[in-house]
Amino acid sequence: MATTTAETIPAAAGWLDPFLEMWRPGTGEPRQVREPATGRSLLTVPLSTPDDVARAAAAAAAAQPAWAETSYQERARILRRAAEIYEAHRPEFGTWTQRETGAHRNKMHHEQNFAVQEIHAAATMPSQPYGQLVPSAQPERLSMVRRIPVGVVGAITPWNSPSVLGMRVVAPALALGNAVVLKPDPQTPVCGGAMFAAVFKEAGLPDGLLQVVLGGAEVGEAIVTDPNVNVVSFTGSTAAGRRVGELAGRLLKKVSLELGGNNAFVVLDDADLDAAASAGAYASFQFQGQVCFAAGRHIVHRTIAGDYVDALVEKAGRLRLGDPYREDVDLGPIVNEKQLARVDGIVRRSIDGGARLAVGGTHDGLFYRPTVLADVTRDLPAWTDEIFGPVAPVVVFDTDEEALALANDTDYGLAGAVYSRSISRGLALAQRIRAGMVHVNDQTVNDEAVIPFGGMGASGNGSRFGGAANWNEFTQWQWVTVRDEPKSFPFPY
Ligand code: NAD
């Protein structure tokens, strides 16, 4: 049983609490969940075991065929109801999201909005056409291709935006007639897992179709290899994604990998400097830079680089750090000690290697000061690595070709941005950046439920979330033909 501890979440008292009292995602060891901003315990919840995963996947597989046969109106109705329930309980969900992840309320609201939009978008899917009549070389034959559910989707999500990253899988997968086994990161069991279970239960989703398990890599791998799981949808780090891809590949299992990024933020010499610097600061520092499509590398024209760095420093200096749930601050904590050490290690090694620390580079507990590194060179970890912290490395260029080469100087390919007053110049450059999502005169942290979100290279294996792409992710083609007269064959010839 999940138990909230002495520091019971006051603003969340209500609808979710009785559910949390009963919630048993697994039969394994209890896990204490801590609030990064205060270190306080939020709840203790039992982890799942590989056996729990097997049971969950079997139950999901057993429930799925009837769901696939359920009328499109009923599937859409349950999704619409889920959106209403989610909206009604946003205060509780928001509180848990802030306290489990250390997010500012703006980020939290943004995420909640997105999660609801994902459900709304998914609710339209059951009523969309799901196939085509296709020509046949045999005119008397009716030939059609149709999209059918994949069966059971295994969804593995990270801690940093668990509501939206989970919902972008759960809602469309269910809408299209699948069952789902969802595993959030164990740091965010409520906003990444319990919330989903509670919303869809109350919405009337038939039993078995949504299974929420909890655990780390071992439990994730059990999902990937479970014979009842047909498709794996993984969002997380590139290292873990490679492992998931290897396991799934051996089993010939379809896998969607949405992975890390080291995203280029290019500022041309004709850019609106104020706009570019404010966007650049937002894209590197908001939510402590713990965003897959954060601006990881600022690539700035030499003639304005000094002013740009000064503007970033000025903005970094004004950002207030603290507990974003209780205080009026701009930035919260890094999620845990391990990640803090990683961020700090990248900053230290980059300074040792020749980067100039323009501001930041220190921390108070988990609160890392927004950091600007100037004079960064391409051999430094601040350039090569995904930092996933509030750090803005700045590199200068002289020509647009050089800017492009710098932007593409990475194995990652998630997002990119170009600032220029010349739309044609900005567009010409943006279109040559090797990334799944590129913006002119806007920053990298951008998403909408209707666009095919995803990356290239080390940022993913070509999978996409959102809009029409969801049909590719969560259904498979079936060719069906039918003829009035049974056909016979002259055989042997
Ligand atoms: P992570 O890879 O450590 O964990 C992500 C999820 O995978 C967690 O649920 C974790 O328990 C699970 N997991 C870990 N190892 C596994 C394994 N071997 N098999 C199966 N599951 C496993 O990532 P994180 O640190 O929680 O999240 C940050 C990373 O996620 C960053 O690299 C970030 O860029 C990336 N991310 C990508 C997107 C995107 O859409 N491209 C979105 C958000 C975050």
Side-chain angles (χ1 to χ4, degrees), residues 157 159 168 183 221 234-237 240 258-260 292 386 453:
T157 58
W159 67 270
R168 73 181 183 178
K183 188 200 84 63
E221 293 190 11
F234 175 89
T235 303
S237 63
E258 292 295 338
L259 310 176
C292 58
E386 178 186 39
F453 182 103

Side-chain angles (χ1 to χ4, degrees), residues 97-173:
T97 301
Q98 281 199 275
R99 295 196 61 184
E100 285 187 316
T101 66
H104 189 273
R105 66 181 172 283
N106 288 358
K107 193 267 184 188
M108 173 274 286
H109 283 307
H110 204 58
E111 187 179 348
Q112 304 295 317
N113 285 340
F114 266 103
V116 173
Q117 285 163 22
E118 292 287 350
I119 313 177
H120 284 157
T124 68
M125 299 192 77
S127 58
Q128 291 171 10
Y130 64 103
Q132 300 164 358
L133 286 180
V134 290
S136 173
Q138 302 167 31
E140 69 281 14
R141 179 164 82 174
L142 180 66
S143 180
M144 55 192 136
V145 287
R146 63 183 199 133
R147 290 282 195 176
I148 59 173
V150 293
V152 177
V153 175
I156 301 173
T157 58
W159 67 270
N160 69 330
S161 296
S163 318
V164 68
L165 299 178
M167 201 56 86
R168 73 181 183 178
V169 180
V170 169

Side-chain angles (χ1 to χ4, degrees), residues 445-470:
V445 183
N446 254 299
D447 190 11
E448 293 189 28
V450 295
I451 60 104
F453 182 103
M456 299 175 180
S459 293
N461 64 343
S463 53
R464 290 289 183 272
F465 290 100
N470 284 336

Side-chain angles (χ1 to χ4, degrees), residues 262 297 377-386 409-412:
N262 189 4
R297 297 169 301 140
T377 50
R378 293 165 57 186
D379 54 333
L380 298 180
W383 176 265
T384 55
D385 295 9
E386 178 186 39
D409 180 34
T410 175
D411 290 338
Y412 292 108

Side-chain angles (χ1 to χ4, degrees), residues 2-57:
T3 47
T4 43
T5 44
E7 172 72 7
T8 294
I9 297 188
W15 178 75
L16 201 56
D17 286 358
F19 173 82
L20 286 176
E21 292 296 314
M22 300 175 333
W23 189 49
R24 271 210 75 88
T27 60
E29 293 295 311
R31 157 119 188 183
Q32 199 171 55
V33 180
R34 292 196 175 277
E35 179 177 35
T38 62
R40 289 182 199 151
S41 174
L42 292 175
L43 83 163
T44 302
V45 64
L47 295 179
S48 306
T49 64
D51 284 345
D52 294 326
V53 171
R55 275 191 289 276

